[in-house]
Amino acid sequence: MTKKLMKGNEAIGEAAIAAGAINYFAYPITPQSEVAEYLCWRLPEVSGVFVQGESEVAVGNMIFGAAASGKRVFTTSSSPGISLMQESISYMAGAHLPVVILNIMRGGPGLGGILPAQSDYFQATKGGGHGDYRLIVLAPASVQEAVDLTILAFDLADKYRNPVMIIGDGMIGQMMESVEFPEKYRDENNPDDFDWALTGADNRPARITKSLYLDPKKLEDNSIKLAEKYKKIVEAESRHELYHVSNDNQLLIISYGTMARICQTVIDELADEGISVGLMRPITLYPFPGAELYAEATKKNIKRVLTVEMSMGQMVEDVERYVVGKKPVDFFGRTGGIVPTPNEVKDKIRELLKPSPKAKKTKSSRKKQIKG
Amino acid sequence: MSSNLITTFKRPESMSDNTTHYCPGCTHGIIHRMVAESLDELGVSGRSVGVAPVGCSVLIYNYFNVDFIEAPHGRAPALATGFKRVRPDMIVFTYQGDGDLASIGMGEIVHAANRGEKFTTIFVNNAIYGMTGGQMAPTTMPNQKTTTSPGGRDTDKVGFPIRMSEMLSTLKTPSYIARVAVHTPLHAIAAKKAIKRAFQLQVENRCFSMVEVLSTCPTNWGITPEASTKWVESDMVPYYPLGLYSDPDREET
Ligand SMILES: Cc1ncc(C[n+]2csc(CCOP(=O)(O)OP(=O)(O)O)c2C)c(N)n1
Ligand code: SF4
C-alpha cells in the first residue's frame, strides 16, 4: 500500500470509490464542497455517476431513488444541507435502504457559520426526521480513520439495510494527512444479488420500496422490524478507542472526532504535571458505547467524568445516561466554530480535580461550566 | 356458454388484478391503463420502475405488475433522477398529481426537465388536492370553489393557475411535453398516443418526456361524473389548451 498526502474531504471521496460506491449526488456547501469538486472528475474515470442536484432536498431524494436499485450511493453535505435531507433520511430508514451520508459539521443553528463544530450530534443520533428510526453514526478522528470508516459505512449500510451517517467536524474535511487506501478496490454491487432491489419485475412478482403502511398493525410491524434491527446493531457494532486509560486515572474524558485528538494532547501534557487522565473516544455515536463507558467510568479510581465537545453540550446527555449518576459528569465545550484549546481543557480539568475545602462538590456541575 | 367467445378487451399484462380504490368517475384509473398498455406495447414492463406520488394515486403500485418506489410528496422526479442515472438501462417513470408536481414538487420537476433526465412523467392535473379532501391547488381554476377557497379562487390574492406544460416547454433542453385529456373517447385515443410516444422516446434514450393529462375529481369538485367530463371541456380545456408543447424532433422556432 502506498501512502498519499490528501485533504480529508478528497480522501473521503476516494474512499467511497474504494468501497465500490461510484454513484454520488450532492449540492455545494462549505466546508465540504471539495468532495464534489474531487468526485466530479474522479468518478468519470471509474465510469461512475456524478450529479449536482438543485438542493439538498432533491439530493436526499436522488440517493433515495438510486439506493432502491441496490447499488451503493453516497452524498455529502454540511449541517444546513443535512437538515434539508431529513425528509428523505426518514423515508429511506422506513424503507430499509442502504445509503451513506457524510456531514462535515459547521456551526449552527440556522445559517450559523462555516467553521468546525460538533453541534449536530442530536440530529444525527436521535433522529432529525420524523418517525421511530435510527441511523448508524460514525465519527472519525483523523483522515485515515475517515477513509476506513467511509469504507466500513458502506458495509454496515448494506449489512443492515439502513442509512449510515458519518459525522466529522470541519477540521476532518479540511486537514491534510497521509492516508492509505486498500490495494484492491471493491467492485460495484450487483443488484441481482439482493431480493429487495428494484431490478424490474421480469418473471418475478413486482417489488415495492415504500414506507407507507395505512394499516396501523403493518406500520407497527415495520417499526418493530426496525427496532429489532437497531437492537442487533447495538449488540454488534459499538466501537470506541481508549487512550491512556489506567488505574491511575483520576478523571475520564469522553470526546469524539478531532476534539478527542486535542484531548490526547491535554492528557499528555497533564501527565507531565502528574495528573493522570484517560480518554474514551466513541467511534460509533450510534450505537453509543454505553456499556463500555459504564465499565470505565465506574472504576474506583475515576473521580469525575468530563465530556468535551465542540457544542453547547449534546453527547454529554448520553454520557449522563450511561454513567447513571455513579460519578459526577461534567461538560466543557466551545461552539460557533471555536475549537477548545488544550489550555482551556487543562484549566477545566485542574479546576475539577482541585481538592475542594468543603469537599461537597459531587453533583454534576455541567450547567455552570458551559462556555462559549 | 359458447366456447368460441374470446376476450377482446383484456387487462394489460402490466396491470395487476386488484380493483382500484378510485371514486366513481375519477379518471386516474383510465390513465393508469394507458401507462400499462404503453409499457406492454413497448415490451418494457419487465425492466421498468415507477415512482409513486403522494396523492390519490399513492397506491398506484397495487395496480401494476411493475417495480415501484413510493416517493415523498413532490419528490418523485428526484427519485427518478437517482434511479435512472444508476440504471440507465431501465425505463423509469413518475406518476404525479398537480399538488405533488406543481406545488411542493415544483423545484424537482423543473430541474429534472432542465437537466434532461431521461425518464417519463405522467402529470395528472385535476385542478385540486384530491387525497386531502379538496383543497386549492396551484392549478385550481379562477373562481373554482375548494375547501380552502370557499368563495372561489381569488386570482388577486393567489394568482392564476400554473400552466406546467407551457412553463416547462420554455426550457431550452430538448424534451417531449404534451397536454392531453381523457374525458371523451376521442381525447383518450390521443392521450394514449402521447403517453406511448413519451415512453418510446425514453426507450430511444432521447429526452425527458412529460404528458400532462387533464383529469376529473367529481368527489371534490362536488359534481357528478357526467358533469365533471363536461367541466373539463368547458372550463379546463380553454385555460389548459391541449396539444404538443415540446418535441425533440421539432425544429426550434
Ligand atoms: C410533506 C407533505 N405535505 C403534505 C402532505 C399531505 N398531502 C397528501 S396528498 C396531498 C395533495 C395531493 O394532491 P394532488 O397532487 O393534486 O393529487 P390528487 O390527490 O389530486 O391525485 C397533500 C397535500 C404530505 N403527505 N406530505
Ligand atoms: S378524490 Fe378525486 S382524484 Fe381522488 S380518487 Fe376521488 S375522484 Fe379521484
Side-chain angles (χ1 to χ4, degrees), chain A residues 54 87 200 204 207 209 212, chain B residues 46 67-68 70 72 75 86 115:
Chain A
E54 65 271 28
E87 171 190 70
R204 62 152 172 80
R207 292 175 184 163
T209 298
L212 173 75
Chain B
D67 283 2
F68 258 93
E70 170 232 82
R75 315 290 178 230
V86 303
R115 284 190 304 266

Side-chain angles (χ1 to χ4, degrees), chain A residues 23 25 49-55 57-58 61-62 64-66 68-69 71 73 87 91 191 197-202 204-212 214, chain B residues 45-50 54 58-59 61 64-73 75 78-83 85-87 90 104 107-109 111-112 115 117:
Chain A
N23 305 296
F25 302 80
V49 170
F50 173 90
V51 179
Q52 179 171 327
E54 65 271 28
S55 70
V57 172
N61 285 291
M62 286 176 186
F64 180 6
S69 76
K71 293 195 175 187
V73 296
E87 171 190 70
Y91 276 73
L198 304 189
T199 54
D202 193 14
R204 62 152 172 80
R207 292 175 184 163
I208 315 298
T209 298
K210 62 165 188 172
S211 58
L212 173 75
L214 291 171
Chain B
S45 81
R47 60 180 176 105
S48 290
V49 167
V54 177
V58 64
L59 297 176
Y61 44 75
F64 279 74
N65 294 318
V66 168
D67 283 2
F68 258 93
I69 323 178
E70 170 232 82
H73 197 17
R75 315 290 178 230
L79 277 90
T81 296
F83 196 94
R85 288 290 186 120
V86 303
R87 286 303 301 265
M90 290 182 69
I104 195 166
E108 284 72 19
I109 191 66
H111 286 280
R115 284 190 304 266
E117 299 294 344

Side-chain angles (χ1 to χ4, degrees), chain B residues 98-138:
Chain B
D98 45 322
D100 196 77
L101 182 139
S103 188
I104 195 166
M106 175 65 94
E108 284 72 19
I109 191 66
V110 171
H111 286 280
N114 192 52
R115 284 190 304 266
E117 299 294 344
K118 293 182 183 58
F119 64 80
T120 300
T121 289
I122 307 300
F123 168 38
V124 180
N125 179 359
N126 60 10
I128 205 153
Y129 283 31
M131 192 195 207
T132 39
Q135 296 82 11
M136 186 180 67

